[in-house]
Amino acid sequence: MKKLQYILLTIISLVVASSCNNFEELNTNPDAATTVSSEMLATQVLKDTYRFWNPNPTDFATANLWCKHTALTETNPNPYQYYYSYWPYGGFGSYQKLTNLKRMVELSKGTQFESSFKGLGLFLKASFGFSATLDMGDVPYSEAGKAEEGIFQPKYDKQADVFVAVLNDLKAAEAFFAEGKNFGGDIMFGGDVTKWRKLCNAMQLKVLQTMSKKVTSEQKARFAAIVAANNLMTGNADNFQLAYSENPNSTHPYWNGEYKRIYHAVSKLVVDELKRLKDRRLFYFAEPAQYLIDAGKLENDFDAYEGAPTELSADALALNNQSGKYSLINKRYIAAKAGDPMIKFTYAEQCFIIAEAIEEGWVTGNAKDYYENGVKAMLQYYMNLASAATGTHGMAITQDYIDNYFTGAAAYATSGTKTERLQQIWMQRWLIDFLQGNGGNYPQVLRTGYPVFPLDPATSMNPDDKTVYPKRWKYPTDEQVSNPENYKKAIDDQYGGYDGINQIPWYLK
Amino acid sequence: MSKTPPAIYTVNSVYSINSGTWGTLNGANPPSSLYGEGILPESSTTFEVGLQGMVLKNRLMVDLSYYDKKMFDFLKAAPLTPASGYTGNYINIDEEISRRGWEVTVNGTPIKNKDWQLDLGLNWSTFARYYTKLDATYSSKKPWVKVGERIDALVSRDFVKVPETGELIYNNGRLQYSQYDSNFGWTDPDWLWGANSTLRYKNLSLFLSLDGVVGGLMNTRTESYMWQSGVHPNSVTEARAKDVATPGSKNFIGQGVKVVSGAVTYDNVGNITSDTRVYAANDIATTYQQYAIDLHNSSAWGGAGSPADTYSKTFLKLRELSLTYSVPTKFLNGWKAKAASVSFVGQNVLLWAKDFKYSDPDGGIEDFSDPSVRYLGCNIKLTF
């Protein structure tokens, strides 16, 4: 009997011991993945970065208000049209993806794609830093994404340092792509490293020009060297863009958005400018105003179009829209599941960046050629767009039209003033982002002051000062809990302790 | 002392896979939280003293108790700034919360004889939850989060007001919300009560159960939506009629002031650091619709509600009413049944609430919820 007890005890202790050993195994979910491929991580991070944040017509319409390309005519004013936001904060959500990028590179170690994924990781990190600093000012960069190394509260780098670090990372990314092989999982360029290389170079030009008020002579020289090396985008085929498809997970956000489109007008700023330039993009962007059609105007007539003043009060806009006073968004935008791709960075923008730099004397060259190449590229882009094959009101853009575009107001003001020429460049650059949902290029408008966005203090919803343009977004409120000391230091150093949207970050001073 | 270990797999560090994330491509994300070593189960210790007395041959029972439940080692994905690469760090935080309360129960049988019996039960309780320790890093930094303070703040955004007088400040004729959170009071009720009674006469018995809460704040989404959509009975006003009569006209002037000049700045938590504002009476009209939308601004998709829709939870409910007839056994002989009864039952029969007129505060949250169900029915019970 005693013996039996001992045997039993031994069995029990063995069972206990072995179940302890198995704990890890038992407590690991067999249905969850403990490892994945670099390509899957790349797809996810590219999608989360470049896809429109919440693809539905309502949010898409809102996103196209900020840069004054369009106006909403609903009675309840949308703050985004009136220089404020339902959510006046920037965010560091993109930096969370640094962990994703780290895993992506680690998992590609030793494969032939390692260098390409390193390049992609650095390019995206630089893009996150660039957007974050333009949104808010000083932001974490050198210590960002290092929780695994024990840095839970990364310090905020000075904006000037962020710009420098972003430029270095873009340069390093270019070098990695140069050694890399075409890779999988890439929804932007289909894994073509030559296109990624060109983009890394062109992005450096953009970053340098964005800090034009603060740029050093070495940085100007760097700009000139990149232009001279000439490994840059050469046409629309190099455009950095996200193409939508018929697949339900990747349709255009405005598809099926008729319920929103009937309240969504093209802005007066866009319509007046396109009329002035006799630019047929007007017929691609807009529907004619109903009251002008009723008055006998034809849809292929520039005079049948009228834009909505974005600064007008919402109820006045609503009333006017009810009587058909405005040109609404072209119906073709809601008709196609795939629709127009979302342009993030184009050959045309690169042309305008260089044209401006030539005018400013950063680099030598013929600004007129760059201006014309940029405009032509955008016109060709619309000419060749499958989703714009119909619905252009009988005014389709043709090669013949493009060849004769540069007359009158559209001709480069070679004999005019430098300011006139710069304004032509800036206006064309601003037109690129019409209804892209890509956030626009607001920092460029703040930097150049052109085009002049209409602002009426009586309708501005800016909570701190109705007479000025907001310059930034506030830091996310969570920072006050999760990174309080660095947050406080950042607003004390830059903004006298007040985290407001009209405070001026370094690059605009 | 009780311990609650984390549920199985919750502390696993795994990738999430999204099949068909874009076109035909699959995607994957690493975990958003870090999982540290040595995680302890969540724990609590309870201290309770009570007094129970039974008198009159157990016809009256009184029970009084006081408890203090201390909860600690909260397992939390402690928030990290996403700039660190993670949004949470799974650890046991140092915060400690104590729930203290009193409970009183009285049960009695004042009448009991061959034909009649009356049983009565009453209970009353009160409790509150307090912070007894804060985590230096991970506890909220809001000004109302302090050791010894209650944890159940109703946090919302107030209207912008003149600091000295409390007058509303209008902007182009419209109400404005503060950009900072305020604590409007406590959501836990002051006290809860319940009563039930059973009255039996021969084979017939009547059961009644009443309960309610007193105090505690809660937002009503339903009324907020009624105001915003213009179906609230009180939203039929003269100004609204004028707005409709002349489309495009604005006929509502909010009572308060407007800023003529000057500016104001705030610190992180919304305290004013400098203020040079000069005011004049508000004379800019808006539409009544706009005013109602601003005053009752809230959305079931998130964000704090409006203080205009913050109500007291106080209510009383006749939760159950039933009448039962037990069939005498002599009628059951032919049925081979041992017992039989017929009852008429009503649940949620009557509701009275102090503030809530269009929705049911019972449940603790009213987020545009469906109306509560009133149940009336009949039970026939046979026991073989």
Side-chain angles (χ1 to χ4, degrees):
Chain A
M1 194 63 207
K2 200 100 198 208
K3 222 175 208 172
L4 195 65
Q5 274 183 358
Y6 280 125
I7 292 168
L8 263 174
L9 256 176
T10 318
I11 291 171
I12 289 167
S13 35
L14 271 175
V15 168
V16 169
S18 60
S19 57
C20 282
N21 289 341
N22 281 339
F23 178 77
E24 280 298 315
E25 193 187 319
L26 285 173
N27 198 40
T28 299
N29 187 348
D31 295 329
T34 50
T35 186
V36 293
S37 71
S38 299
E39 286 78 6
M40 284 165 78
L41 291 164
T43 302
Q44 193 67 44
V45 73
L46 286 168
K47 176 197 161 186
D48 292 348
T49 305
Y50 294 114
R51 182 194 70 153
F52 184 70
W53 72 281
N54 191 15
N56 66 72
T58 300
D59 287 317
F60 185 75
T62 298
N64 286 292
L65 299 174
W66 186 264
C67 280
K68 308 295 163 257
H69 292 111
T70 66
L72 267 186
T73 64
E74 293 168 322
T75 45
N76 196 21
N78 188 318
Y80 226 53
Q81 184 167 331
Y82 302 100
Y83 301 104
Y84 199 45
S85 172
Y86 286 118
W87 186 252
Y89 303 96
F92 295 128
S94 59
Y95 280 152
Q96 194 193 330
K97 302 186 196 106
L98 294 177
T99 303
N100 195 319
L101 298 175
K102 204 190 258 180
R103 291 293 102 80
M104 178 182 84
V105 172
E106 282 169 12
L107 289 165
S108 70
K109 268 223 166 80
T111 71
Q112 51 179 330
F113 306 113
E114 184 179 347
S115 190
S116 306
F117 282 117
K118 277 183 175 164
L120 182 63
L122 276 176
F123 174 84
L124 287 169
K125 184 187 180 198
S127 307
F128 298 155
F130 186 52
S131 310
T133 195
L134 291 179
D135 270 359
M136 293 169 277
D138 293 357
V139 289
Y141 192 80
S142 59
E143 291 188 353
K146 295 193 169 168
E148 287 167 359
E149 294 157 47
I151 301 177
F152 292 152
Q153 306 201 344
K155 73 173 165 85
Y156 285 47
D157 294 329
K158 295 260 142 240
Q159 187 167 53
D161 299 337
V162 177
F163 271 87
V164 170
V166 162
L167 286 166
N168 290 342
D169 281 347
L170 286 171
K171 190 175 175 188
E174 199 268 343
F176 279 122
F177 280 126
E179 293 169 11
K181 285 214 157 60
N182 290 357
F183 60 101
D186 174 13
I187 62 177
M188 303 300 287
F189 277 148
D192 186 339
V193 288
T194 58
K195 289 185 181 176
W196 279 105
R197 282 186 73 184
K198 293 175 186 175
L199 176 67
C200 288
N201 289 324
M203 264 306 280
Q204 290 179 60
L205 301 183
K206 179 166 177 170
V207 173
L208 285 164
Q209 191 167 69
T210 305
M211 58 191 285
S212 62
K213 291 183 187 219
K214 298 286 178 181
V215 76
T216 62
S217 51
E218 293 91 66
Q219 285 168 331
K220 284 187 198 172
R222 180 170 175 176
F223 188 103
I226 293 170
V227 175
N230 201 26
N231 188 5
L232 292 167
M233 296 176 163
T234 52
N236 284 329
D238 291 334
N239 284 354
F240 189 54
Q241 64 180 30
L242 181 62
Y244 299 102
S245 78
E246 304 261 320
N247 193 311
N249 64 21
S250 47
T251 55
H252 191 282
Y254 217 12
W255 169 64
N256 224 356
E258 181 66 6
Y259 65 90
K260 206 70 196 177
R261 192 197 67 85
I262 54 175
Y263 298 108
H264 196 187
V266 181
S267 74
K268 184 169 158 54
L269 201 57
V270 168
V271 172
D272 288 0
E273 183 61 24
L274 293 178
K275 279 167 139 175
R276 200 176 68 85
L277 295 171
K278 293 272 169 259
D279 191 318
R280 290 195 182 181
R281 277 179 284 184
L282 180 62
F283 304 97
Y284 286 65
F285 293 173
E287 292 292 320
Q290 190 57 46
Y291 91 109
L292 293 171
I293 294 292
D294 293 346
K297 294 265 192 291
L298 297 175
E299 61 173 336
N300 61 1
D301 182 354
F302 279 94
D303 289 336
Y305 293 77
E306 187 166 321
T310 50
E311 77 284 14
L312 205 61
S313 76
D315 29 36
L317 284 171
L319 217 60
N320 289 342
N321 187 45
Q322 271 174 25
S323 35
K325 286 265 287 180
Y326 300 132
S327 282
L328 298 178
I329 302 292
N330 193 309
K331 284 178 185 161
R332 69 182 188 83
Y333 283 103
I334 56 131
K337 263 188 181 176
D340 298 11
M342 181 203 265
I343 297 172
K344 299 299 289 193
F345 192 89
T346 54
Y347 166 69
E349 186 173 359
Q350 176 193 290
C351 290
F352 297 133
I353 289 170
I354 298 173
E356 180 185 333
I358 293 169
E359 288 291 347
E360 293 292 354
W362 291 22
V363 58
T364 51
N366 188 346
K368 178 169 177 280
D369 288 348
Y370 280 101
Y371 164 81
E372 291 191 352
N373 286 342
V375 177
K376 276 182 194 164
M378 274 326 287
L379 294 172
Q380 275 159 357
Y381 172 82
Y382 281 103
M383 178 173 79
N384 296 327
L385 205 57
S387 49
T390 57
T392 53
H393 306 294
M395 290 291 270
I397 295 171
T398 59
Q399 191 56 50
D400 188 49
Y401 166 78
I402 296 173
D403 293 340
N404 295 301
Y405 181 86
F406 299 98
T407 53
Y412 197 58
T414 313
S415 54
T417 64
K418 178 178 146 192
T419 310
E420 278 169 19
R421 291 192 296 272
L422 284 174
Q423 290 184 346
Q424 285 182 306
I425 295 166
W426 293 332
M427 179 56 85
Q428 288 288 349
R429 189 173 173 187
W430 172 74
L431 285 170
I432 295 174
D433 295 310
F434 180 84
L435 212 72
Q436 295 297 329
N438 61 8
N441 254 324
Y442 187 59
Q444 305 303 330
V445 177
L446 287 174
R447 176 179 71 89
T448 62
Y450 199 82
V452 181
F453 285 180
L455 185 150
D456 180 354
T459 57
S460 167
M461 291 167 83
N462 188 328
D464 295 337
D465 185 347
K466 291 178 194 321
T467 61
V468 299
Y469 300 117
K471 307 292 188 301
R472 60 182 288 273
W473 294 119
K474 299 197 266 188
Y475 290 107
T477 49
D478 291 348
E479 287 294 292
Q480 294 169 30
V481 175
S482 54
N483 199 359
E485 280 127 52
N486 291 314
Y487 163 79
K488 183 148 191 330
K489 185 171 184 309
I491 59 165
D492 285 349
D493 287 358
Q494 300 172 90
Y495 308 128
Y498 182 55
D499 189 5
I501 63 170
N502 300 323
Q503 307 298 100
I504 301 173
W506 170 83
Y507 83 103
L508 291 174
K509 276 184 181 156
Chain B
M1 181 87 186
S2 74
K3 289 185 184 286
T4 319
I8 189 160
Y9 306 152
T10 50
V11 293
N12 277 191
S13 179
V14 292
Y15 290 92
S16 55
I17 297 201
N18 307 314
S19 14
T21 193
W22 188 263
T24 55
L25 293 172
N26 300 329
N29 271 322
S32 57
S33 281
L34 276 172
Y35 296 89
E37 300 283 318
I39 292 170
L40 299 170
E42 293 189 346
S43 303
S44 65
T45 54
T46 309
F47 162 82
E48 181 164 353
V49 281
L51 203 67
Q52 195 180 43
M54 296 196 199
V55 288
L56 307 168
K57 292 182 185 164
N58 293 348
R59 290 275 288 273
L60 182 66
M61 191 276 283
V62 181
D63 187 325
L64 174 72
S65 66
Y66 170 81
Y67 62 88
D68 182 345
K69 181 178 183 184
K70 191 183 283 182
M71 295 164 276
F72 53 94
D73 278 345
F74 290 106
L75 197 55
K76 191 172 173 185
L80 294 179
T81 168
S84 70
Y86 285 90
T87 54
N89 186 15
Y90 235 78
I91 52 163
N92 298 105
I93 62 167
D94 287 338
E95 195 170 283
E96 193 177 280
I97 289 171
S98 292
R99 176 183 163 128
R100 297 177 195 136
W102 289 90
E103 284 177 2
V104 184
T105 310
V106 180
N107 288 319
T109 311
I111 301 166
K112 188 176 183 181
N113 58 40
K114 191 168 157 284
D115 288 343
W116 290 91
Q117 180 169 346
L118 176 65
D119 293 312
L120 286 175
L122 286 170
N123 63 68
W124 179 94
S125 66
T126 180
F127 74 91
R129 294 172 290 165
Y130 302 91
Y131 293 107
T132 39
K133 210 164 122 193
L134 292 178
D135 189 297
T137 314
Y138 297 115
S139 287
S140 163
K141 298 289 182 290
K142 299 289 183 195
W144 49 86
V145 175
K146 284 185 191 134
V147 170
E149 287 291 340
R150 290 174 61 160
I151 73 161
D152 53 325
L154 186 128
V155 178
S156 201
R157 301 230 162 145
D158 203 355
F159 300 106
V160 180
K161 291 173 178 167
V162 181
E164 297 83 25
T165 62
E167 287 170 286
L168 293 165
I169 303 176
Y170 291 81
N171 171 19
N172 293 330
R174 293 183 54 187
L175 282 169
Q176 301 174 88
Y177 283 87
S178 163
Q179 299 176 58
Y180 303 93
D181 289 338
S182 306
N183 176 10
F184 280 83
W186 311 110
T187 59
D188 286 341
D190 298 341
W191 43 276
L192 301 90
W193 62 274
N196 57 68
S197 86
T198 312
L199 177 67
R200 183 183 60 78
Y201 171 69
K202 290 188 175 167
N203 287 334
L204 218 53
S205 70
L206 179 71
F207 173 78
L208 195 82
S209 163
L210 272 170
D211 62 66
V213 306
V214 174
L217 296 177
M218 188 166 110
N219 281 334
T220 167
R221 186 84 66 205
T222 303
E223 277 193 60
S224 160
Y225 276 8
M226 288 169 72
W227 280 103
Q228 290 187 64
S229 58
V231 299
H232 198 287
N234 298 348
S235 69
V236 180
T237 63
E238 202 183 327
R240 187 176 170 187
K242 282 187 188 166
D243 291 342
V244 175
T246 319
S249 70
K250 297 175 176 181
N251 299 288
F252 184 85
I253 296 179
Q255 202 173 3
V257 298
K258 64 176 182 179
V259 176
V260 188
S261 65
V264 60
T265 57
Y266 302 93
D267 67 9
N268 300 343
V269 291
N271 296 314
I272 289 175
T273 49
S274 76
D275 189 356
T276 57
R277 289 175 295 184
V278 177
Y279 308 103
N282 176 45
D283 54 2
I284 303 175
T286 185
T287 60
Y288 186 76
Q289 181 189 11
Q290 187 66 61
Y291 170 74
I293 288 174
D294 290 342
L295 181 62
H296 296 278
N297 193 4
S298 89
S299 156
W301 280 274
S306 157
D309 301 309
T310 302
Y311 282 175
S312 161
K313 284 181 185 172
T314 305
F315 74 91
L316 174 161
K317 195 173 227 182
L318 180 53
R319 196 168 296 275
E320 186 163 332
L321 182 70
S322 68
L323 186 66
T324 306
Y325 176 72
S326 305
V327 183
T329 41
K330 61 182 175 189
F331 296 128
L332 297 174
N333 292 340
W335 294 76
K336 289 179 182 165
K338 288 194 189 109
S341 65
V342 181
S343 330
F344 295 95
V345 186
Q347 280 167 356
N348 187 19
V349 183
L350 193 79
L351 172 73
W352 171 88
K354 182 166 162 257
D355 290 343
F356 282 85
K357 294 283 175 271
Y358 301 101
S359 52
D360 187 349
D362 189 12
I365 291 173
E366 197 271 273
D367 197 4
F368 202 39
S369 42
D370 291 331
S372 49
V373 174
R374 175 163 300 152
Y375 170 84
L376 296 172
C378 172
N379 286 340
I380 299 171
K381 206 156 86 184
L382 289 168
T383 313
F384 295 98

